[in-house]
Amino acid sequence: MLPEPIRKFVDVFSQLPSIGPRQAMRLAFYLTSLGKSSLAEISQAVDQLKNLRPCPECFFISINSCPICVDPRRNKKIVAVVEKETDLISLEKTKKFKGTYFIFGELNKTGMLSPEQKLKLNHLKSKAPLDE
């Protein structure tokens, strides 16, 4: 009954956080009501996400250099370990924290670290200054 592009959209978008199949279908029908220029703009915005890369130091995403890690005014000795990018953004909005960040990744319910998180943790340990 549904056209294939709608079905595919629902399949893909219902896998996103907080969007189930019903919400994805509503979004698909809303998007079909937009004009071609609006759809092209949305498509371009999504396509540009592929240009983002994680910072090798803090794992925040950026196009080139991480604006936080390259900022010489930041105190590199103070590191806030956060779970996800949105936590970093929330702290930055306060304009109070002047250190750097380390995005660890979402913790799963079992408490076990993923292989990626283990690598990140080893990276963080290697950056820690040794006691003098």
Side-chain angles (χ1 to χ4, degrees):
M1 177 172 168
L2 287 175
E4 183 57 30
I6 297 272
R7 200 173 12 250
K8 178 68 175 169
F9 182 94
V10 171
D11 288 345
V12 170
F13 277 77
S14 64
Q15 295 175 30
L16 296 174
S18 303
I19 299 181
R22 187 173 175 181
Q23 186 69 23
M25 190 173 300
R26 284 184 186 149
L27 185 56
F29 283 114
Y30 169 76
L31 291 173
T32 62
S33 72
L34 298 177
K36 287 188 180 197
S37 64
S38 293
L39 279 175
E41 185 179 0
I42 292 167
S43 178
Q44 183 181 17
V46 170
D47 187 55
Q48 288 175 359
L49 293 175
K50 71 180 179 214
N51 298 325
L52 298 172
R53 302 282 180 264
C55 171
E57 294 300 313
C58 72
F59 301 101
F60 189 58
I61 55 172
S62 64
I63 293 176
N64 294 316
S65 302
C66 172
I68 294 169
C69 290
V70 300
D71 187 344
R73 298 169 295 178
R74 295 283 181 158
N75 185 342
K76 308 281 190 227
K77 293 181 181 181
I78 301 173
V79 179
V81 178
V82 297
E83 189 176 7
K84 45 195 173 190
E85 293 83 359
T86 53
D87 299 328
L88 181 153
I89 292 166
S90 293
L91 282 171
E92 279 298 289
K93 282 182 180 178
T94 68
K95 299 185 192 269
K96 303 268 187 215
F97 184 69
K98 301 301 179 199
T100 60
Y101 297 92
F102 187 83
I103 300 172
F104 191 65
E106 291 192 54
L107 300 173
N108 63 34
K109 294 179 195 251
T110 65
M112 300 295 292
L113 299 179
S114 71
E116 181 182 348
Q117 287 171 322
K118 289 177 183 177
L119 287 172
K120 284 182 173 182
L121 191 57
N122 286 333
H123 175 72
L124 181 61
K125 287 179 188 176
S126 73
K127 290 177 25 171
L130 298 174
D131 289 334
E132 296 176 6

